[in-house]
Amino acid sequence: MTNEIPGRWAEGAGLVLGPLLLTAGVLTRVGADDFFPGQLAAHAADPGRMAWSYGLYAAGVVLLWPAVTALGRRIGRTGWARWGVTLVVLGLFGRVFHAGVSHLAFQLVDVLGLEAAQRAVEGTYGAFHVFKATNVCIMGGWIVLAVGACLSKTLGPVRSAALGLAALLPLGVLKGSTDPVSLVALAGLVVALVPLGVEVLRDGPAPKWWAVGLTVAFVPVAFLLGLAG
């Protein structure tokens, strides 16, 4: 049990839900081509499905930050932990940026039509943005963290190797990530982090009743605000 920020419940939830939401998001869009023309076409054909898919994936990305914070603390005060957590979190920022651009691209399909949206995305796909600098973090952070987890015996060699597989997840805008390599990478995250999350959640007293109530109330309120926005 720890009093460190963000706390046991946020960390445990991130460790369990982060990998599972990423996986659910990808599985929801299985069958669509992995590159942007196919992803936009899939949205045109079934916008509800793709909205859920990308929403689940983005939520999983956000929840990974308390997850890697928890893992880094257990690795200990080493350079592997410091650099691993820093690089992974910077990479997560990049993935959130990509999720926002993907969301905008889907809105272009709704407003302009599929062909016009595909032309717009094709014409701007390689445009410079500051988050391009996080690409190396997206790929390398998980490997650094996995080495630290293995050396410190926090996860063991098998689960540490599984964690390192997260480096294989495609990066960028409108990536389907449904190819076999991506699915293996997602499975690696699940194997590496979910059991640790269960352990974290069990290691301490149950949450206060008011905290449970606030959490339960937050979900429908956030959903309604999203609809209103």
Side-chain angles (χ1 to χ4, degrees):
M1 182 178 176
T2 178
N3 292 321
E4 299 281 352
I5 295 174
R8 177 168 62 94
W9 290 101
E11 294 174 0
L15 285 161
V16 173
L17 294 177
L20 294 180
L21 288 175
L22 285 176
T23 304
V26 168
L27 293 179
T28 302
R29 56 182 179 253
V30 166
D33 184 80
D34 276 347
F35 297 100
F36 78 85
Q39 294 292 291
L40 293 175
H43 175 81
D46 193 346
R49 171 196 176 197
M50 296 303 285
W52 272 107
S53 174
Y54 275 77
L56 290 168
Y57 193 91
V61 168
V62 171
L63 285 174
L64 283 178
W65 80 261
V68 298
T69 299
L71 179 57
R73 185 179 298 119
R74 281 159 180 75
I75 292 173
R77 297 179 180 273
T78 67
W80 292 106
R82 294 189 188 97
W83 278 104
V85 171
T86 300
L87 290 172
V88 169
V89 171
L90 287 174
L92 295 177
F93 286 148
R95 288 198 182 276
V96 170
F97 173 81
H98 297 153
V101 178
S102 297
H103 175 76
L104 176 60
F106 288 146
Q107 308 319 301
L108 291 179
V109 174
D110 295 337
V111 174
L112 302 178
L114 176 59
E115 292 185 3
Q118 288 176 333
R119 288 195 300 271
V121 172
E122 182 179 11
T124 59
Y125 201 83
F128 173 79
H129 54 79
V130 68
F131 282 97
K132 282 185 178 291
T134 66
N135 286 351
V136 66
C137 303
I138 293 173
M139 295 182 292
W142 292 108
I143 295 174
V144 174
L145 198 61
V147 172
C150 187
L151 293 177
S152 65
K153 299 182 181 179
T154 302
L155 293 181
V158 174
R159 287 172 62 199
S160 296
L163 182 68
L165 291 174
L168 300 177
L169 276 175
L171 55 91
V173 174
L174 295 170
K175 291 295 195 299
S177 304
T178 60
D179 60 285
V181 173
S182 298
L183 296 178
V184 168
L186 290 168
L189 268 181
V190 172
V191 169
L193 298 184
V194 172
L196 179 59
V198 174
E199 178 184 329
V200 169
L201 292 173
R202 286 178 174 174
D203 184 22
K208 303 292 185 181
W209 66 268
W210 53 265
V212 175
L214 286 175
T215 302
V216 172
F218 172 79
V219 175
V221 170
F223 179 76
L224 291 174
L225 289 174
L227 291 178

